[in-house]
Amino acid sequence: MTSGWSLIWENADRFAAGALLTVELTVLTMILAIPGGLVLAFLRLSRWRVVRFAATAFVELFRSTPLILQIYWVYYILPVFTEIRLPGLAVALTGLVCNISSYNSETFRAGIVSIRRGQWNAGLALGMTNAQVMLRIVLPQAAMRVLPALASTWVSLFKDTALVSVIHVNDLAYVALKIRTETFVILPVLNAMALFYWLMGYPQAKLVDWIHRRYKVAE
Amino acid sequence: MSSTGRVGADQPPILTFEDVTKRYGDLLALQGVSCQVNRGEVVCMIGPSGSGKSTLLRCANALETLEGGRITFDGADVHAAGGDARKVRQRMGMVFQNFELFPHLTVLRNVTIGPTTVLGLDRAAADARARALLAKVGLSDKAGQHPAALSGGQQQRVAIARALAMEPALMLFDEPTSALDPETIGEVLSVMKALADEGMTMVVVTHEMDFAKRVADWVVVFDQGRVIEQGPPRQIFEAATVQRTREFLSHLGWHGESIAEVAAGE
């Protein structure tokens, strides 16, 4: 019987691969969920009611149900209705992107509406189109304001990616839980999993704290 | 009311308001306002807060819609269906009470953003134009700063430069000194005075009576969404015919004499 820590050491490459996938999932999800959130935010600010309603329904669905359920949905239900069977990683990514886009859309929307009417008027008074005012005046300011909120979402996302282990995506959580099942070594494996998440998550949380301090709204 | 000798009376007016009505819910903000602005003229709009002056200004460049009446700029209906409000706004500079500089851009970029995005000027030409205007308002050394690093008076001078960068035919000033500390009001008024001396057509909503008296060619007095009196400053300030005008002026402590130091610059 190998001791706990030597077991971890023997499986270092698998843990490393899992950790890498966790980071990749987090980065890819955010890269897609930022434009996704922006599009949803624009749709929710649309002048057409039908568009607003559809976007709101989407956002509220994904904000008000558990992420683990959404991942199962994409995994089991999407193939039934669409005959699309995505590989596990794509399923995980789809679920995460829908979920995080919904959160991001609320963040962006709050940022956009927080820019006072006078800034719009100043841009329009120069002869700009609405799109130009949005792109050059409102969005850059809104982005600065919502950066802390986006950073917080990022850290939550990093930890929540562990949920994709339920559909056999080889992320850090899945690898750890699999090694546990293979070896029946429970505590050391869970401790190692906790340590690895913490080692990666703590610097991110600190960075977020710094972003919060650095980008406090100053008028 | 006589318009004999009014500045620019030999040409068609650049801006006209005909029976303009504006409503916010139950509040009738403008109740049939008519007046005009001639080319080369400085028109000051005065009156108590909430009397409709600022609303009229925002209607002039279609930042607000109308419930009734007509506003023409250079002969064309500003609010005409299918009309292009942007074309009108490009030729009307506007200066706001709260400056409304773009806080994420440097002073220089605040001034160039109009010409580059709206007029399609290239960066170099826009920069040259902006630097000349910043020199004109006395802020050449602030080009690389962000607005937050400037005083209120400096910010408002940048805002004036930003509006001038579009080379407008007409400048609208919406209470340009109301949000300023007393010690910086003068620097803004003197920039405006210099602009007036160059012959810029200006509409100025203001509570600075001394400025109105010394710089305006024409004064329009508002009360409760109506024009109650208009005429040359001498008539308004020294021989107002309407009781309400005299009440308003005396309420401000105006009794015909010069009030404060209006840094008119000369």
Side-chain angles (χ1 to χ4, degrees), chain A residues 4-219:
Chain A
W5 284 111
S6 61
L7 176 75
I8 307 302
W9 181 247
E10 282 160 24
N11 288 288
D13 54 337
R14 291 170 75 191
F15 276 110
L20 183 64
L21 191 65
T22 289
V23 171
E24 283 172 358
L25 259 182
T26 309
V27 172
L28 272 178
T29 300
M30 214 27 149
I31 286 176
L32 294 170
I34 283 176
L38 264 181
V39 168
L40 282 172
F42 287 146
L43 296 179
R44 291 200 67 180
L45 294 166
S46 161
R47 72 185 78 174
W48 294 292
R49 228 162 98 182
V50 187
V51 176
R52 282 203 305 271
F53 178 81
T56 305
F58 182 91
V59 168
E60 294 306 343
L61 176 72
F62 279 94
R63 286 204 318 158
S64 311
T65 55
L67 177 57
I68 192 166
L69 176 65
Q70 294 160 18
I71 291 167
Y72 276 127
W73 263 341
V74 183
Y75 191 65
Y76 290 114
I77 297 179
L78 199 63
V80 174
F81 287 101
T82 61
E83 292 181 10
I84 298 172
R85 180 161 274 288
L86 297 171
L89 189 64
V91 170
L93 202 55
T94 307
L96 286 171
V97 167
C98 287
N99 182 272
I100 301 299
S101 294
S102 298
Y103 279 99
N104 283 354
S105 81
E106 287 303 280
T107 303
F108 285 130
R109 197 169 64 105
I112 289 167
V113 301
S114 79
I115 304 302
R116 61 176 184 275
R117 183 69 211 169
Q119 289 282 296
W120 278 94
N121 282 346
L124 293 175
L126 287 171
M128 291 187 189
T129 61
N130 278 305
Q132 285 170 334
V133 177
M134 176 61 90
L135 215 63
R136 291 169 179 275
I137 313 264
V138 175
L139 268 188
Q141 294 182 59
M144 297 293 273
R145 288 191 185 183
V146 304
L147 197 58
L150 279 181
S152 298
T153 302
W154 169 279
V155 170
S156 300
L157 164 66
F158 171 74
K159 292 173 294 183
D160 288 347
T161 54
L163 291 169
V164 304
S165 60
V166 299
I167 54 166
H168 312 294
V169 171
N170 285 305
D171 74 319
L172 179 56
Y174 183 78
V175 167
L177 299 177
K178 191 148 186 266
I179 292 170
R180 180 198 59 172
T181 331
E182 289 165 6
T183 61
F184 302 107
V185 176
I186 298 175
L187 264 187
V189 170
L190 291 184
N191 287 343
M193 175 179 164
L195 179 69
F196 294 147
Y197 269 109
W198 187 87
L199 281 176
M200 292 191 293
Y202 181 73
Q204 295 178 38
K206 286 285 116 182
L207 183 66
V208 169
D209 288 346
W210 179 81
I211 289 172
H212 275 267
R213 284 196 305 273
R214 172 72 178 71
Y215 292 98
K216 261 204 300 257
V217 174
E219 192 64 19

Side-chain angles (χ1 to χ4, degrees), chain B residues 101 139 142 149-159 184 187-188:
Chain B
L101 292 181
L139 291 171
K142 302 290 184 191
L150 273 57
S151 73
Q154 290 170 334
Q155 290 190 48
Q156 195 60 299
R157 282 144 68 197
V158 174
T184 64
E187 64 193 56
V188 171

